[in-house]
Amino acid sequence: MNLIERAGLAALHRIDPETAHGLSLKALNAGLVPLPGLVTSPRLACTLAGMALANPVGLAAGFDKNATALAALARAGFGFLEVGAATPLPQPGNPKPRLFRLTEDRAAINRFGFNNDGMQAIAARLQNRPRSLPIGLNLGANKTSADRAADFAQVLATCGPHVDFATVNVSSPNTEKLRDLQGPAALSALLQRVMEVRAGLATPIPVFLKIAPDLTPDEVAEIGQIALAAGLAGIIATNTTLSREGLKSAARDEIGGLSGAPLFEKSTRVLAQLSQATAGRIPLIGVGGISTADQAYAKIRAGASAVQLYTAMVYQGIGIAARIARGLDTLLARDGFASVADATGTGRADWL
């Protein structure tokens, strides 16, 4: 981490986390943050659901909810970006405070509740997005919607023409009863509606599903089969957790989803279970607790074709993406892998 990044983080950690998050986006757009540009190598270059990636390290949804900092983020060393979640109508989300740093645990708890500017505003920004890397959108549903499945389909219809992939997010714990859509019947019906909209796009794009870490092995396997049957292009494992096991920080009992270091083992285990259940028939994206190249590599060896980051940037700055990508290249070379795909799933048994 360079001195500018270190000083910026120290200053941001002195203020309210949500305010700090907003300021970090403004700093990116103002050109105040040193950015490494494209990070790639023959080993790092890979494909995900048919999309060419310079490297397999992506930005998870939630950092740039409203697609306001895409030009800067495209130069931050990531191989792909995911923005959102977007809902049909703008909504303020849950009352503040709703974001909490757990510094002792290198973690965060949020209960944002899909606060965003709405699909029309986000679609307008995505129309003018950078084309140097794949950019996707996390699809959400309005809190007051009577038909949440219709919301996901509507956001895809509106924003789908302007992105490279979309993610169905039924795993956020911060919208009441949203996780109920992970049940077999509800999930199958929802995915059918979304995939019908996808088929109607001028250029059909890959659709991913983002799942929760708080699932049993049987539930994980069942979701994997549903995703395969629906023709999805990939599964993102995982979203935040409701678990509070082993936390030390004062904010540990706040309501919301926990992300960061404590999620690593739980999310990686779900990833490995999903890899086993789907037997390599669908690409997986590993998310949850990654803060080092070794952890990104562990996700890949557990079954991921690519990974995503978010909370680690709170503690290590945006430069972490490039550092992890370069470190991952070194690890692949060390172990004799010519590509990310060659390493995918080779350590799955360690997590089962």
Side-chain angles (χ1 to χ4, degrees), residues 65 87 91-94 98 110-116 141 143 172 174-175:
K65 287 178 177 287
T87 57
Q91 63 181 20
N94 294 322
R98 55 194 180 181
N110 89 82
R111 50 171 180 263
F112 281 118
F114 284 167
N115 58 309
N116 72 104
K143 182 177 181 179
S172 169
N174 301 317
T175 296

Coordinates of all heavy atoms in Angstrom, one line a residue, residues 65 87 91-94 98 110-116 141 143 172 174-175:
K65 N -22.8 1.1 -6.1 CA -24.2 0.7 -6.2 C -24.9 1.4 -7.4 O -25.7 0.8 -8.1 CB -25.0 1.1 -5.0 CG -24.7 0.3 -3.8 CD -25.5 0.8 -2.6 CE -25.4 -0.1 -1.4 NZ -26.1 -1.4 -1.5
T87 N -32.8 -1.7 -8.4 CA -34.2 -2.0 -8.3 C -35.0 -1.2 -9.3 O -34.5 -0.2 -9.8 CB -34.7 -1.8 -6.9 OG1 -34.5 -0.4 -6.5 CG2 -34.0 -2.7 -5.9
Q91 N -35.0 3.8 -4.2 CA -35.4 3.6 -2.9 C -34.3 4.0 -1.9 O -33.1 3.8 -2.2 CB -35.9 2.2 -2.6 CG -34.9 1.1 -2.7 CD -35.6 -0.3 -2.4 OE1 -36.8 -0.5 -2.5 NE2 -34.7 -1.3 -2.1
P92 N -34.6 4.6 -0.8 CA -33.6 5.1 0.2 C -32.9 4.0 1.0 O -31.9 4.2 1.6 CB -34.4 6.0 1.1 CG -35.8 5.4 1.1 CD -36.0 4.9 -0.3
G93 N -33.5 2.8 1.0 CA -32.9 1.8 1.9 C -33.3 1.9 3.3 O -34.3 2.7 3.7
N94 N -32.7 1.2 4.2 CA -33.0 1.2 5.6 C -32.5 2.5 6.3 O -31.6 3.1 5.8 CB -32.4 -0.1 6.3 CG -33.1 -1.3 5.7 OD1 -34.3 -1.3 5.5 ND2 -32.3 -2.4 5.6
R98 N -26.3 2.3 9.1 CA -26.6 1.0 8.5 C -25.4 0.3 8.0 O -25.4 -0.7 7.3 CB -27.7 1.1 7.4 CG -27.3 2.2 6.4 CD -28.4 2.5 5.5 NE -28.0 3.5 4.5 CZ -28.9 4.0 3.6 NH1 -30.1 3.7 3.6 NH2 -28.4 4.9 2.7
N110 N -23.5 -4.6 7.2 CA -24.3 -3.6 6.6 C -25.8 -4.1 6.6 O -26.1 -5.3 6.6 CB -23.9 -3.3 5.2 CG -24.5 -4.3 4.2 OD1 -25.6 -4.0 3.7 ND2 -23.8 -5.3 3.8
R111 N -26.7 -3.1 6.7 CA -28.1 -3.4 6.5 C -28.7 -2.3 5.6 O -29.7 -1.7 5.9 CB -28.8 -3.5 7.8 CG -28.6 -2.3 8.8 CD -29.5 -2.5 10.0 NE -29.3 -1.4 11.0 CZ -28.6 -1.5 12.1 NH1 -27.9 -2.6 12.3 NH2 -28.5 -0.4 12.9
F112 N -28.0 -2.1 4.4 CA -28.4 -1.1 3.5 C -29.9 -1.2 3.0 O -30.6 -0.2 3.0 CB -27.5 -1.0 2.3 CG -26.2 -0.3 2.6 CD1 -25.0 -1.0 2.5 CD2 -26.1 1.0 3.0 CE1 -23.8 -0.4 2.7 CE2 -24.9 1.6 3.2 CZ -23.7 0.9 3.1
G113 N -30.2 -2.4 2.6 CA -31.6 -2.6 2.1 C -31.8 -2.1 0.7 O -32.8 -1.5 0.4
F114 N -30.8 -2.4 -0.2 CA -30.9 -2.1 -1.6 C -31.2 -0.6 -1.8 O -32.1 -0.2 -2.6 CB -32.0 -2.9 -2.3 CG -31.7 -4.4 -2.6 CD1 -32.7 -5.3 -2.9 CD2 -30.4 -4.8 -2.5 CE1 -32.4 -6.6 -3.2 CE2 -30.0 -6.1 -2.8 CZ -31.0 -7.0 -3.1
N115 N -30.5 0.3 -1.1 CA -30.6 1.7 -1.4 C -29.9 2.0 -2.8 O -28.8 1.5 -3.0 CB -29.9 2.5 -0.3 CG -28.4 2.2 -0.2 OD1 -28.1 1.0 0.0 ND2 -27.6 3.1 -0.2
N116 N -30.6 2.6 -3.7 CA -30.1 2.9 -5.0 C -30.9 3.9 -5.8 O -32.1 4.2 -5.4 CB -29.9 1.6 -5.8 CG -31.3 1.0 -6.3 OD1 -31.6 1.2 -7.5 ND2 -32.0 0.4 -5.4
A141 N -34.8 -6.3 -6.0 CA -36.2 -6.0 -6.0 C -36.6 -5.0 -4.9 O -35.9 -4.9 -3.9 CB -37.0 -7.3 -5.6
K143 N -38.4 -3.1 -1.9 CA -38.8 -3.6 -0.6 C -40.3 -3.7 -0.6 O -40.9 -4.7 0.0 CB -38.4 -2.6 0.5 CG -38.7 -3.1 1.9 CD -38.2 -2.1 2.9 CE -38.5 -2.5 4.3 NZ -37.9 -1.6 5.3
S172 N -29.4 -11.3 -0.3 CA -29.2 -10.3 0.6 C -30.0 -10.5 1.9 O -31.2 -10.8 1.7 CB -29.5 -8.9 0.0 OG -29.5 -7.9 1.0
N174 N -30.9 -8.2 3.9 CA -31.4 -6.9 4.4 C -32.7 -6.5 3.8 O -33.2 -5.3 4.0 CB -30.3 -5.9 4.1 CG -29.0 -6.2 4.9 OD1 -29.1 -6.6 6.0 ND2 -27.9 -6.1 4.2
T175 N -33.3 -7.3 2.9 CA -34.7 -7.0 2.4 C -35.5 -8.2 2.9 O -35.3 -9.3 2.7 CB -34.7 -7.0 0.9 OG1 -33.9 -5.8 0.5 CG2 -36.1 -6.8 0.4

